[in-house]
Amino acid sequence: MDSKIKIVKTTSENPDFLSLIKTFDAYLWDRYPELKTNYWGNNIIELNKNVVVIYLDEKPVACGCFKKYDHNTIEIKRMFVASEARGLGLAQKVLQKLELWAKQLDFSVSILETLYKQQEAISLYQKVGYTIVDNYEPYVGLENSICMRKQI
């Protein structure tokens, strides 16, 4: 039996997005308890109209969003795939949808930040064309951050 995947463009007010982010935050704080104070402020989602949620058999299992960083650059935020849906290529689908949406809005560069223990994420981002760059604000001086960039 094939699973049914549905990709939805939405906003940060979407309850399924909020639920996934709550799970994501719990995962991050469990994996990086030492970083709560340094990073919490960087992960607050203000109202965001550029959110993608993926549903697998009607259940929300993956998400991501972007925000404007400067006139031609977006920053990818809150990329997450629930543990039961990992390995299905959903993170790549979220990224593709976000990048296409950003291109349609005339952005040409995508940046993102992840943490050093997120080797799976770093590998995925490199596989789809992101390269590691010097940390950008607000991550300058935070040695646990890995910043990446891609022309879209």
Side-chain angles (χ1 to χ4, degrees):
M1 181 175 90
D2 287 334
S3 296
K4 185 177 174 217
I5 294 173
K6 181 169 85 173
I7 303 172
V8 175
K9 287 165 71 171
T10 186
T11 73
S12 58
E13 296 175 319
N14 179 300
D16 293 331
F17 175 71
L18 294 172
S19 176
L20 285 166
I21 291 310
K22 188 174 181 181
T23 303
F24 183 35
D25 284 340
Y27 164 80
L28 285 176
W29 302 145
D30 188 48
R31 195 162 185 190
Y32 300 94
E34 72 281 8
L35 299 182
K36 265 189 183 176
T37 54
N38 288 345
Y39 286 83
W40 183 250
N42 297 328
N43 287 325
I44 294 171
I45 296 292
E46 51 290 323
L47 178 61
N48 187 310
K49 61 185 191 302
N50 304 112
V51 172
V52 168
V53 176
I54 292 187
Y55 295 82
L56 185 61
D57 297 326
E58 305 295 322
K59 182 178 185 230
V61 295
C63 66
C65 62
F66 69 83
K67 68 178 190 177
K68 180 178 178 175
Y69 186 78
D70 66 27
H71 70 284
N72 69 336
T73 305
I74 56 132
E75 182 181 20
I76 301 289
K77 303 293 287 181
R78 307 321 318 240
M79 286 285 300
F80 179 68
V81 178
S83 58
E84 70 272 15
R86 291 185 184 146
L88 302 175
L90 299 181
Q92 198 165 338
K93 287 185 187 311
V94 170
L95 254 184
Q96 288 168 341
K97 187 63 116 178
L98 291 172
E99 290 171 358
L100 178 61
W101 194 354
K103 276 180 82 163
Q104 292 167 342
L105 296 172
D106 291 325
F107 291 98
S108 59
V109 177
S110 175
I111 59 175
L112 59 84
E113 179 268 352
T114 191
L115 293 167
Y116 72 100
K117 289 182 190 174
Q118 306 298 107
Q119 290 303 315
E120 310 83 3
I122 294 166
S123 293
L124 164 74
Y125 297 137
Q126 288 177 319
K127 178 178 159 186
V128 298
Y130 283 81
T131 57
I132 295 174
V133 295
D134 290 340
N135 287 8
Y136 55 86
E137 288 294 341
Y139 307 103
V140 173
L142 297 176
E143 73 250 3
N144 296 309
S145 289
I146 306 292
C147 291
M148 304 182 86
R149 181 181 195 278
K150 175 185 179 181
Q151 290 289 131
I152 55 173

